[in-house]
Amino acid sequence: PVAIEIQEAYQIRSLTVVNLCAISFSLCAAPFTLVSIIAFSRYEMTTVLRFASLLQLLGMLVRDITMVNDSFWPMLIGIYIQAASAPFFLNTQAWISNRWFSDQQRALATGLMSAAIVLGNALSFFLTGFIFADAKDEVEVKEALHTVLVVQTVLIASCFLIF
């Protein structure tokens, strides 16, 4: 619901460019699922997840350049870096379920991990909508986007440092 406002705030000619952010995870899913399968077969899970976490952090830092140079392009590039890391985390669910849980517990564990992703996505959409709700002009839209970026950076950096 904020694509048009972002397009206007950053003076982007085509709404398709903004919408490329929304479909980034879908576009990266298949190729990076193959990469994650290869990575999980060659390296330990912790090594692969550290690499994926580093990609998340790097993508977030690239997105943060948007706050400094007032350009939308770092946002687009950064989100694709982050989208490249998503299959590594998604494919970990099956690995954890198969290794850590018995046959009787596996379906429940996988279901709970899948539900956590859905709940996290719902929460992110709710919070983004809440933050952008009062943005009326280009300056307020950019300020709202900067708020979202700062919150996401703090959360991703905290998780990166903890794990």
Side-chain angles (χ1 to χ4, degrees):
V2 298
I4 293 171
E5 289 84 358
I6 290 174
Q7 177 192 12
E8 292 170 357
Y10 285 94
Q11 301 170 352
I12 302 167
R13 289 189 184 132
S14 172
L15 189 59
T16 303
V17 173
V18 179
N19 287 332
L20 281 172
C21 286
I23 62 170
S24 61
F25 287 85
S26 298
L27 292 175
C28 289
F32 286 98
T33 293
L34 295 174
V35 172
S36 74
I37 291 168
I38 293 167
F40 280 117
S41 68
R42 293 187 180 175
Y43 305 102
E44 292 184 31
M45 183 179 75
T46 55
T47 303
V48 175
L49 289 179
R50 284 187 181 121
F51 171 74
S53 297
L54 185 62
L55 279 179
Q56 268 298 318
L57 184 62
L58 177 65
M60 192 70 246
L61 294 174
V62 170
R63 288 175 63 191
D64 286 345
I65 295 171
T66 296
M67 293 187 290
V68 178
N69 73 356
D70 204 36
S71 171
F72 187 76
W73 294 107
M75 174 72 68
L76 188 62
I77 294 166
I79 197 119
Y80 273 87
I81 294 170
Q82 288 182 298
S85 73
F88 293 93
F89 296 111
L90 294 173
N91 292 327
T92 304
Q93 294 175 4
W95 192 92
I96 290 172
S97 293
N98 286 331
R99 303 266 176 146
W100 292 0
F101 297 97
S102 68
D103 290 343
Q104 295 79 17
Q105 299 170 324
R106 195 169 294 139
L108 177 63
T110 304
L112 289 174
M113 286 186 277
S114 297
I117 290 173
V118 173
L119 290 174
N121 285 336
L123 181 63
S124 74
F125 282 115
F126 170 76
L127 289 176
T128 301
F130 180 76
I131 292 170
F132 276 90
D134 295 330
K136 304 285 186 243
D137 59 21
E138 292 178 9
V139 172
E140 291 177 352
V141 168
K142 287 181 180 181
E143 287 174 358
L145 182 60
H146 294 175
T147 301
V148 170
L149 288 174
V150 167
V151 169
Q152 290 176 349
T153 301
V154 168
L155 290 172
I156 289 172
S158 299
C159 290
F160 183 77
L161 292 174
I162 291 170
F163 301 108

